[in-house]
């Protein structure tokens, strides 16, 4: 397995969560290389955490560059065919990664595999499918990426800054006939730590990057209606949460889209229908 997959984890100021994740990884998959990239934490890692990471597998430059750029950085360091990306508060609790890798190798046009995810309360964040099946995209907290195809696509768009990079990459892959799958034979626990999470930032970039996704991939004949639907959705969320980031993000996306029109690669109407026919996760 160590010749097939590398585990990559981005972290920031969540050393206790990372410590628990590393403990589970070491217990379940002791032979697999683990790369940890720190995104400018305010304090150095405790000795208990550093003891679990070989010296040359811990990367820290003291800068806050964001998880999108950091995940690209990890992918550049991986020398195996697959990269298991984990959040610092997520780890596998059931199933066989070896079986997931074998399944990934059996899919000739695979981009990425996602897994069922449960949270610490036992609630399902990503419900398991009855069998492996193609899905639109995957979520960042745990997925198995085909490294070669990730690099062929150019990795995640750093221009997104925060959030939405998984769906954007999946859509870009879809235009090149690369597909994401859910593999229900592995289950991931996501503890969803609130440390270093900022709701206003998440609202802002969630709306902004969804606007950009629509601008880049929705067929031109449907683009305006999709953007207005998104505006209505974000208005409702803004009223419900009493946070203005939803609307600020929509307008920021509108401005940024004018600067990034070279990223437009819209689906044909047939492709868009095929995309929308897939389960979301």
């Amino acid at each position: 397995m160590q010749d097939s997959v590398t585990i990559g984890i981005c972290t920031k100021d969540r050393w206790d969560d990372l410590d628990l994740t590393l403990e589970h990884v070491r217990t379940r998959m002791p032979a697999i290389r683990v790369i940890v990239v720190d995104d400018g934490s305010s304090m150095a890692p405790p000795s208990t955490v550093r003891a679990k990471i070989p010296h040359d597998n811990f990367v820290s430059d003291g800068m806050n560059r964001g998880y999108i750029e950091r995940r690209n950085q990890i992918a550049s360091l991986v020398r195996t065919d697959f990269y298991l990306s984990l959040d610092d508060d997520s780890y596998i609790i059931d199933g066989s990664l070896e079986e997931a890798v074998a399944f990934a190798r059996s899919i000739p046009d695979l981009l990425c595999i996602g897994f069922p995810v449960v949270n610490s309360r036992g609630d399902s964040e990503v419900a398991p499918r009855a069998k492996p099946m193609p899905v639109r995209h995957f979520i960042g907290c745990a997925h198995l990426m085909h490294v070669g195809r990730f690099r062929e696509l150019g990795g995640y768009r750093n221009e997104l800054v925060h959030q939405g990079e998984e769906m954007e990459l999946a859509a870009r892959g879809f235009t090149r006939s690369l597909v994401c799958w859910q593999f229900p034979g592995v289950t991931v626990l996501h503890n969803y730590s609130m440390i270093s999470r900022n709701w206003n930032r998440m609202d802002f970039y969630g709306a902004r990057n969804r606007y950009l996704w629509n601008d880049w991939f929705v067929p031109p004949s449907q683009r305006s209606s999709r953007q207005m639907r998104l505006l209505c959705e974000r208005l409702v969320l803004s009223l419900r949460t009493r946070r203005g980031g939803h609307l600020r993000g929509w307008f920021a996306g509108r401005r940024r889209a004018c600067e990034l029109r070279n990223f437009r690669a819209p689906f044909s109407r047939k492709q868009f229908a095929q995309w929308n026919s897939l389960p979301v996760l």
Side-chain angles (χ1 to χ4, degrees):
M1 276 289 289
Q2 61 265 35
D3 296 327
S4 297
V5 61
T6 302
I7 297 172
I9 303 172
C10 299
T11 192
K12 181 180 180 181
D13 286 323
R14 295 204 293 237
W15 299 123
D16 288 344
D17 293 302
L18 178 63
D19 194 21
L20 180 61
T21 292
L22 290 173
E23 188 62 38
H24 279 268
V25 167
R26 189 166 65 172
T27 299
R28 183 175 284 270
M29 300 167 286
I32 296 178
R33 181 189 182 201
V34 179
I35 300 173
V36 176
V37 174
D38 174 42
D39 188 40
S41 291
S42 58
M43 298 190 341
S47 58
T48 54
V49 173
R50 285 297 287 117
K52 294 182 173 74
I53 313 168
H55 177 72
D56 57 348
N57 289 346
F58 181 74
V59 180
S60 179
D61 59 11
M63 303 292 292
N64 177 13
R65 302 182 186 276
Y67 278 12
I68 291 178
E69 186 169 339
R70 294 305 188 182
R71 285 174 177 153
N72 285 336
Q73 183 180 9
I74 290 176
S76 72
L77 299 173
V78 169
R79 298 293 176 261
T80 52
D81 291 339
F82 296 97
Y83 155 32
L84 176 64
S85 177
L86 295 174
D87 276 4
D88 53 11
D89 55 2
S90 302
Y91 46 84
I92 293 173
I93 57 171
D94 190 34
S96 166
L97 180 61
E98 189 170 2
E99 290 180 7
V101 171
F103 176 77
R105 291 195 185 280
S106 73
I107 306 298
D109 55 358
L110 178 95
L111 173 60
C112 187
I113 285 178
F115 307 109
V117 178
V118 298
N119 61 29
S120 54
R121 298 186 303 272
D123 301 324
S124 178
E125 293 185 12
V126 179
R129 302 289 168 182
K131 60 181 181 180
M133 65 170 51
V135 292
R136 286 187 214 172
H137 59 96
F138 54 96
I139 63 173
C141 73
H143 54 270
L144 184 69
M145 183 70 68
H146 189 293
V147 176
R149 290 172 190 146
F150 179 85
R151 290 173 179 160
E152 287 171 11
L153 291 171
Y156 295 123
R157 298 262 192 227
N158 289 332
E159 290 81 1
L160 294 175
V161 182
H162 179 63
Q163 291 196 309
E165 70 273 20
E166 301 92 354
M167 189 167 76
E168 192 281 331
L169 181 77
R172 220 172 341 130
F174 194 77
T175 64
R176 302 189 192 185
S177 301
L178 297 177
V179 183
C180 299
W181 285 69
Q182 191 204 95
F183 181 75
V186 167
T187 302
V188 171
L189 177 67
H190 185 199
N191 282 315
Y192 203 81
S193 172
M194 291 308 299
I195 298 172
S196 294
R197 295 188 192 273
N198 182 313
W199 283 111
N200 284 314
R201 187 170 188 261
M202 292 164 67
D203 296 343
F204 176 85
Y205 281 108
R208 170 190 180 271
N209 291 346
R210 189 56 186 266
Y211 190 106
L212 293 176
W213 192 96
N214 288 344
D215 189 72
W216 295 345
F217 297 109
V218 172
S221 62
Q222 302 177 47
R223 190 178 294 145
S224 294
S225 62
R226 287 274 171 167
Q227 301 294 31
M228 292 310 298
R229 184 188 304 176
L230 176 64
L231 176 60
C232 292
E233 291 171 357
R234 293 295 165 165
L235 176 59
V236 170
L237 284 171
S238 184
L239 293 172
R240 185 179 298 163
T241 62
R242 297 184 179 181
R243 296 195 300 262
H246 299 286
L247 292 178
R248 289 196 302 272
W250 188 91
F251 285 103
R254 188 177 183 181
R255 292 190 297 271
R256 192 72 169 118
C258 295
E259 302 166 356
L260 298 174
R261 286 185 177 175
N262 58 312
F263 287 168
R264 281 183 175 174
F267 292 135
S268 67
R269 297 177 78 172
K270 181 179 179 181
Q271 282 179 319
F272 197 45
Q274 292 171 334
W275 169 268
N276 286 322
S277 71
L278 295 171
V280 176
L281 293 168

